């Protein structure tokens, strides 16, 4: 680490992005984040978490930032809170950096950019800055934040969003440093709230905190110059076992992470830790069809770390089912899918679904994937039928949609269009997709 320290060096990096922009290959990946998150955000417009939040905030303060891609507007901070909560409400948003970066970054950027009249290129640059800062901090920790009870989306998101907002506001190095420190002091999110409205609220609050942090810094509000790296600072405070490196050289000055470290786009609106097993089960059903009534038991082979996050073993609501490997397997067996239509209280409570939930067991295997902390090298499902037959699925190393197995343009568009239909979007979904795909050429963001 240079003598300047981590917080100041990251402030310098954010200010550099504001001045010089990000490379085209990084902007192109960021554009995928905007497309996918816009879809998941609109899809969740009618969700209880979003509508309850709106009722609690009423009457909304005036402003020019749009809510939920509809006609209603409010100030940027409130819009970031609501839009960020919506982006994560279905747990259908992308995954990377041990959390859900786009669900925080995109709502913060869109809300503030709409109010300011920013260009699409500057919005993409803001995303890149937030993503890079988030990755820089995550990579300094060897422990698993989930196992300590932290939700990384909430604790890192407020800092990433502060970096993104600082780019939009064109803050200088000193101001950007303060914005990051202010974001760090607003970090929050507990894993115990998974399966409740509080989980998407973590993303919304992080987006709102980022907007507020950058605005405060622009006005002269200060934070400590070592807020991130101090022994009583952010990294040490949230470290599960104190295994954190606050002093190594800052990587963002030497290379861009985003082009090589893309986000993973979800195919299912459930916790990402269910996705490899879902791919395995659905492939098994396709090659070896069997009736749900014939299932005696299902073994899911996955790491104990991932199983710990999937804390809801007997869910009775769609919200709780998002964090249940038992439900994921039951849904795949009964419906042949695990989509938005299955994440309802009515489907979860079906007697056949509940019976299958009780027949699913987790077999913990080593978390030995060197490239994915806390993950096994591959997840696998084994189904035992009542006649004694045993069906083994092919182990799945990376779920379809992972950065190593990315969705093609047609699949990304299909997910987007389906999401907008679910959210009862009033406009032309295909046209909105095309506009977002051309975000870099947009002189003023007006969607």
């Amino acid at each position: 680490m240079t003598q300047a320290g981590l917080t100041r060096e990251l402030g310098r990096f954010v200010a550099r992005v504001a001045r010089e922009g990000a490379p085209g290959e990084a902007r192109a990946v960021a554009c995928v984040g905007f497309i996918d998150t816009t879809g998941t955000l609109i899809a969740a417009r009618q969700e209880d978490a979003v509508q309850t939040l709106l009722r609690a905030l009423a009457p909304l303060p005036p402003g020019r930032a749009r809510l939920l891609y509809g006609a209603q507007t409010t100030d940027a901070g409130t819009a970031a809170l609501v839009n960020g909560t919506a982006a994560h409400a279905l747990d259908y948003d992308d995954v990377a950096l041990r959390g859900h970066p786009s669900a925080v970054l995109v709502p913060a950027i869109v809300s503030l950019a709409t109010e300011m009249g920013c260009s699409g290129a500057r919005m993409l640059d803001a995303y890149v800055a937030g993503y890079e800062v988030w990755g820089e901090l995550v990579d300094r920790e060897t422990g698993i934040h989930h196992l300590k009870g932290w939700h990384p989306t909430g604790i890192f998101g407020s800092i990433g969003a502060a970096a993104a907002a600082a780019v939009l506001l064109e803050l200088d190095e000193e101001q950007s440093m303060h914005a990051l420190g202010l974001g760090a002091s607003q970090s929050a999110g507990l894993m115990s709230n998974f399966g409740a409205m509080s989980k998407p609220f973590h993303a919304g609050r992080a987006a709102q905190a980022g907007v507020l942090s950058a605005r405060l810094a622009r006005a002269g509000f200060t934070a400590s110059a070592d807020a991130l790296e101090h022994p009583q600072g952010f990294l040490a405070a949230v470290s599960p076992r104190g295994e954190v490196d606050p002093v190594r050289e800052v990587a963002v000055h030497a290379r861009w992470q985003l082009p090589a470290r893309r986000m993973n786009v979800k195919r299912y609106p459930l916790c990402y830790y269910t996705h490899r097993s879902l791919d395995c089960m659905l492939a098994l059903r396709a090659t070896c069809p069997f009736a749900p009534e014939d299932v005696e038991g299902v073994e899911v082979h996955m790491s104990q770390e991932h199983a710990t996050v999937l804390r809801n073993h007997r869910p009775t609501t769609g919200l709780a089912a998002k964090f249940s490997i038992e439900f994921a397997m039951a849904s795949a067996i009964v419906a042949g899918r695990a989509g938005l239509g299955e994440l309802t209280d009515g489907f979860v409570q079906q007697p056949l679904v509940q019976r299958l939930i009780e027949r699913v067991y987790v077999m913990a295997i080593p978390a030995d994937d060197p490239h994915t902390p806390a993950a096994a090298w591959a997840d696998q499902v084994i189904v035992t039928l009542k006649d004694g037959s045993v069906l083994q699925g092919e182990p799945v190393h990376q779920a379809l949609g992972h950065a190593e197995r990315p969705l093609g343009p047609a699949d990304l568009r299909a997910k987007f269009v389906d999401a907008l239909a679910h959210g009862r979007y009033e406009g032309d979904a295909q046209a909105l997709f095309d506009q977002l795909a051309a975000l870099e050429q947009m002189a003023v963001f007006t969607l």
Side-chain angles (χ1 to χ4, degrees), residues 276-291:
R276 298 198 294 184
S277 298
L278 275 168
D279 279 356
C280 185
M281 177 62 82
L282 291 172
L284 179 62
R285 285 189 82 255
T287 56
C288 303
F290 55 88

Side-chain angles (χ1 to χ4, degrees), residues 4 6-20 166 170-181 217 223-225 253:
L6 176 62
T7 311
R8 188 171 292 279
E9 287 288 352
L10 289 179
R12 183 175 300 164
F13 166 75
V14 170
R16 190 188 92 202
V17 176
R19 290 192 313 269
E20 302 173 9
E170 301 183 57
L171 302 189
D172 62 23
E173 294 179 10
E174 192 79 7
Q175 292 169 323
S176 296
M177 177 194 73
H178 291 307
L180 298 178
S224 296
H253 288 313

Side-chain angles (χ1 to χ4, degrees), residues 17-49:
V17 176
R19 290 192 313 269
E20 302 173 9
E25 58 269 30
R27 285 181 175 178
V29 179
C31 190
V32 175
F34 275 91
I35 292 170
D36 192 59
T37 305
T38 299
T40 63
L41 189 165
I42 294 175
R45 293 198 295 186
Q46 304 303 320
E47 290 296 300
D48 287 346

